[in-house]
Amino acid sequence: MDENLRLFDLAFRQIELFPNLDIFSHKKDGEWKPIKTEQFLTEVNALSKGLIELGVKPNEKVGLIADSSVEWHIVDFAIQQIGAVTVAIYPNITDADYQFIFNDAEIKLCIVSTKSLYNRILSFKDSIYTLKYVFAMEKHEDVRNWDELKVLGNKIPDAQLETLRNAVKAEDLATLIYTSGTTGKPKGVMLTHNNIISNVLAAREITPCQAYHRSLTFLPPCHAYERMVIYTYLYIGITTHIAESLDKIGQNIKEVQPHIMTAVPRILEKVYEKIMKAGLELNGMKRNIFDWAVKVAEDYDPDPKKRSFTYNIKLKLAKKLVLDKWYEALGGHLMTVASGSASLQAKLARVLLAAGIPLFEGYGMTEASPLISVNHYIKGTRVGTVGLAVKYVDIKLAEDGEILVKGPNVMQGYYKNNEETSKTIIDGWLHTGDIGTWEEGQFLKIIDRKKEMFKISGGKYVIPQPIEKKLLESNYIEQAMVIGDGQKFASAYIVPNYAHLVDWSKSEAPELRDLPKDQFLKQDKVVRKINKEVQLANQHFGNWEQIKRPIILLNEFTIEDGELTPTLKMKRKVILEKYKKEFEDLYHTAD
């Protein structure tokens, strides 16, 4: 492992190895505009000098609040190369979380993307004890623009910047990432340059792409996973294309034709749903062929030894008639789609893999920089697992099945929180809080979060995640959260897939299809249909784990309503509190 590489060195390294490379490309005025590495570094250096002029010192914390953009990465490196620490914060968290993070990290200066974020931070500036300066990337008359920093920096000689840059060590703190968490206050994860670089080098070994290939990014870079992946792109020499928005991701994929991209399961589920919806609109023979091809795909096993000769013939035909079109729709050049952040449905994975989409599910957490294990093209993939431990990382399972991790990627600890640190890192092993098991001796399978397991009143354990994954395999269930801690039986909050149910009603209940959504989802026929889907999922579990009397909710869990974290994990306590009445009504009336 390169012990001396610092994160901001990745850009300088590009100039040495790939002098003509476009480090980034982004959409401006309807066209993709490439940015050369040299141009990028000129911007980074100008901003660094402005930070120096305003008195930012080594190890001081600087806030960065923005969605995915070239500017985000300019700010990140500008902070790091003067020895300061990037505090990358999600743009969509609560005011209370903002205030906690700013005060905990003692942020003096913050750069935000938009006027609305600028005004939002200023609105509670009086309750942030250290904050002196806020700058916005967007230009508005009544907003301090980050160009001011570049002008201020003209006073700083290059030699002063060079001295500060040379003083930064690989073992120094590079970033604080506050985990939004599904419970409690955010915790500041302390990661050094070495921590993240160890992950970059491990990821490089299992990435088939080469210099001058194209990537597409649409996840926020304050997400530890996407950030590490983009650093890996910089290391390899891959041009990173920054998507315009989630709404335009399909269009951007067609334009960029990426070789590599990352995704979270929720996004892949949306892709799958769109494919299935298009199939449902077909008629006659075309619909029959589509349904047959999907059925073939659902039986796919990525291990060629486990596929029969007959199956391979069917697969070849299914690909020619239907499945290959899906790969082409994703640009036709993909070599890797890396999925992380949450568990991927097995059925969805099989279907996309059968279509030739090179989907590799991995596992990590911010406290591990974040990559721990991943399926990859060298050793193959096992559906339902999160693959093998990456290079430099050791994994073992505790007696209760908890996944423990050791390696140079493990964080330094939680900022100003020795109590939580000592609970989380014991004898050098990071206690992940996830329960796992081994398949084939080396492929790691996540069973559930340790804290999310619960007992029903009969004393039996219920493990929510496998049940939720099975429920989500239904085309008619959008989201599911298993409940019932301490109760007589397990149940679940079910958010129906309204669009698919409307399609279903065209033939099965045509009298309902013109009803408003809130009335439609309460109709007996619709409720029975959802219950039937739940019963199909129940067949895979023991009697005590089966979902009885599910609670159907009308509205999807969202980040905006506080039910999902920015990485789309369910905030179980928040959801339980929000639907407390429905919970109490269910169990109060239970026999």
Side-chain angles (χ1 to χ4, degrees):
M1 196 177 102
D2 190 334
E3 299 289 345
N4 301 312
L5 200 61
R6 302 154 307 178
L7 290 168
F8 54 82
D9 287 328
L10 295 171
F12 292 99
R13 184 177 172 277
Q14 274 197 0
I15 287 181
E16 285 178 34
L17 298 178
F18 322 111
N20 298 315
L21 183 72
D22 298 327
I23 185 171
F24 288 106
S25 185
H26 59 164
K27 204 91 175 276
K28 288 276 171 124
D29 303 320
E31 287 184 31
W32 287 97
K33 304 285 187 185
I35 294 157
K36 296 288 181 196
T37 311
E38 199 165 347
Q39 179 190 349
F40 173 80
L41 274 173
T42 300
E43 295 285 318
V44 169
N45 292 340
L47 197 61
S48 285
K49 290 179 180 181
L51 296 173
I52 295 167
E53 175 62 23
L54 278 184
V56 176
K57 301 283 192 293
N59 205 41
E60 283 189 347
K61 317 303 183 288
V62 180
L64 169 54
I65 312 173
D67 284 314
S68 187
S69 63
V70 175
E71 291 80 6
W72 193 99
H73 297 282
I74 290 169
V75 175
D76 181 36
F77 278 7
I79 294 165
Q80 289 179 24
Q81 72 168 357
I82 62 170
V85 178
T86 303
V87 184
I89 310 170
Y90 283 97
N92 52 4
I93 61 173
T94 65
D95 286 358
D97 280 347
Y98 273 133
Q99 289 174 61
F100 175 83
I101 291 168
F102 272 75
N103 285 319
D104 192 60
E106 298 176 46
I107 290 171
K108 182 167 74 176
L109 185 148
C110 181
I111 299 174
V112 304
S113 54
T114 62
K115 180 180 179 179
S116 62
L117 274 170
Y118 179 91
N119 289 331
R120 190 174 168 197
I121 299 301
L122 286 185
S123 72
F124 47 76
K125 190 181 174 195
D126 291 346
S127 62
I128 301 169
Y129 314 116
T130 51
L131 188 62
K132 287 185 181 177
Y133 308 106
V134 182
F135 296 92
M137 296 167 187
E138 282 183 359
K139 284 189 177 177
H140 296 279
E141 281 185 17
D142 52 346
V143 167
R144 292 196 76 177
N145 185 260
W146 72 325
D147 283 346
E148 283 184 52
L149 282 166
K150 299 169 191 174
V151 174
L152 285 167
N154 288 334
K155 302 173 186 176
I156 302 297
D158 289 345
Q160 189 175 344
L161 171 57
E162 188 73 18
T163 300
L164 283 168
R165 189 191 291 126
N166 290 339
V168 180
K169 297 181 180 67
E171 60 267 24
D172 288 346
L173 195 62
T175 189
L176 273 184
I177 303 177
Y178 280 83
T179 58
S180 51
T182 51
T183 59
K185 286 180 179 175
K187 290 177 286 192
V189 175
M190 297 190 289
L191 297 177
T192 66
H193 295 272
N194 261 344
N195 284 148
I196 300 172
I197 288 291
S198 74
N199 241 198
V200 167
L201 297 178
R204 198 287 159 261
E205 291 222 340
I206 50 177
T207 301
C209 297
Q210 302 300 331
Y212 299 99
H213 276 164
R214 297 176 300 277
S215 71
L216 182 68
T217 178
F218 56 91
L219 297 175
C222 48
H223 188 308
Y225 180 51
E226 191 69 6
R227 188 171 176 186
M228 184 278 295
V229 165
I230 292 173
Y231 291 145
T232 306
Y233 297 158
L234 298 183
Y235 184 85
I236 296 171
I238 293 169
T239 299
T240 300
H241 294 73
I242 296 171
E244 294 173 90
S245 66
L246 272 180
D247 293 339
K248 295 187 176 178
I249 190 70
Q251 176 190 328
N252 291 166
I253 286 172
K254 285 174 187 167
E255 294 164 345
V256 172
Q257 297 184 336
H259 297 93
I260 185 168
M261 57 189 281
T262 55
V264 292
R266 195 80 192 94
I267 303 299
L268 293 170
E269 285 162 14
K270 294 285 187 188
V271 169
Y272 176 74
E273 284 167 13
K274 196 172 179 182
I275 289 168
M276 296 307 293
K277 193 170 189 303
L280 290 171
E281 289 167 2
L282 297 172
N283 293 309
M285 182 59 75
K286 285 185 178 178
R287 173 66 184 271
N288 291 338
I289 290 169
F290 178 89
D291 290 346
W292 173 81
V294 170
K295 187 75 188 72
V296 170
E298 286 175 356
D299 293 333
Y300 180 78
D301 195 306
D303 185 349
K305 295 173 194 164
K306 296 179 181 175
R307 299 197 300 264
S308 69
F309 176 75
T310 307
Y311 177 83
N312 284 335
I313 291 172
K314 287 196 287 185
L315 178 65
K316 191 174 180 180
L317 184 58
K319 283 172 72 66
K320 188 175 180 180
L321 294 173
V322 176
L323 304 178
D324 283 347
K325 295 182 181 70
W326 303 355
Y327 181 79
E328 292 303 320
L330 293 177
H333 287 79
L334 277 170
M335 299 167 75
T336 295
V337 179
S339 175
S341 183
S343 184
L344 192 61
Q345 295 174 39
K347 183 173 84 170
L348 182 150
R350 289 184 194 283
V351 169
L352 296 182
L353 284 165
I357 295 163
L359 182 59
F360 299 108
E361 186 174 6
Y363 163 63
M365 59 190 300
T366 305
E367 290 86 342
S369 296
L371 188 58
I372 293 170
S373 68
V374 69
N375 287 283
H376 55 83
Y377 79 107
I378 299 169
K379 293 281 184 79
T381 189
R382 299 293 183 273
V383 173
T385 79
V386 290
L388 305 97
V390 297
K391 193 172 183 180
Y392 311 119
V393 174
D394 292 319
I395 302 173
K396 70 177 182 180
L397 302 182
E399 284 186 16
D400 62 357
E402 184 176 6
I403 299 164
L404 310 182
V405 174
K406 184 184 272 190
N409 59 323
V410 171
M411 67 170 178
Q412 304 308 293
Y414 295 116
Y415 189 59
K416 295 182 181 174
N417 197 336
N418 290 333
E419 185 183 346
E420 282 298 318
T421 300
S422 62
K423 287 181 193 171
T424 308
I425 302 175
I426 302 167
D427 297 329
W429 289 91
L430 174 67
H431 288 237
T432 65
D434 290 311
I435 302 296
T437 186
W438 296 109
E439 284 199 1
E440 299 179 26
Q442 57 181 342
F443 287 87
L444 183 64
K445 184 181 177 75
I446 311 292
I447 298 175
D448 212 331
R449 287 290 295 167
K450 190 173 178 177
K451 290 177 183 173
E452 289 167 8
M453 293 167 59
F454 62 81
K455 279 183 181 179
I456 54 173
S457 57
K460 295 261 194 178
Y461 274 107
V462 173
I463 303 174
Q465 198 175 100
I467 305 169
E468 289 163 358
K469 280 173 71 176
K470 187 55 71 175
L471 288 165
L472 292 178
E473 287 185 10
S474 164
N475 290 332
Y476 303 101
I477 295 176
E478 181 83 5
Q479 292 168 314
M481 185 180 115
V482 173
I483 57 176
D485 187 12
Q487 305 299 324
K488 290 180 182 177
F489 56 85
S491 183
Y493 293 131
I494 299 288
V495 178
N497 187 311
Y498 175 61
H500 283 180
L501 283 165
V502 169
D503 281 338
W504 163 84
S505 72
K506 288 174 185 174
S507 58
E508 301 298 325
E511 71 279 8
L512 305 181
R513 65 185 180 188
D514 294 325
L515 289 174
K517 179 182 175 181
D518 58 340
Q519 291 182 35
F520 176 86
L521 292 174
K522 291 176 182 175
Q523 297 301 308
D524 286 345
K525 278 189 178 180
V526 175
V527 171
R528 281 198 297 273
K529 175 63 178 171
I530 295 166
N531 275 312
K532 186 179 176 184
E533 296 298 303
V534 171
Q535 286 161 17
L536 288 171
N538 276 341
Q539 294 172 15
H540 299 270
F541 302 100
N543 184 56
W544 74 94
E545 299 168 293
Q546 292 179 4
I547 302 306
K548 298 170 177 68
R549 298 171 59 181
I551 298 169
I552 297 170
L553 304 178
L554 303 184
N555 297 313
E556 193 172 338
F557 305 141
T558 65
I559 296 169
E560 292 71 25
D561 290 340
E563 298 136 332
L564 301 179
T565 71
T567 55
L568 305 179
K569 295 184 181 77
M570 289 185 292
K571 292 186 177 180
R572 292 178 184 267
K573 281 190 176 179
V574 172
I575 294 167
L576 277 168
E577 184 59 34
K578 183 168 184 175
Y579 297 104
K580 188 177 179 181
K581 184 181 185 302
E582 288 84 348
F583 182 96
E584 289 175 347
D585 287 349
L586 170 69
Y587 287 109
H588 180 70
T589 58
D591 296 332

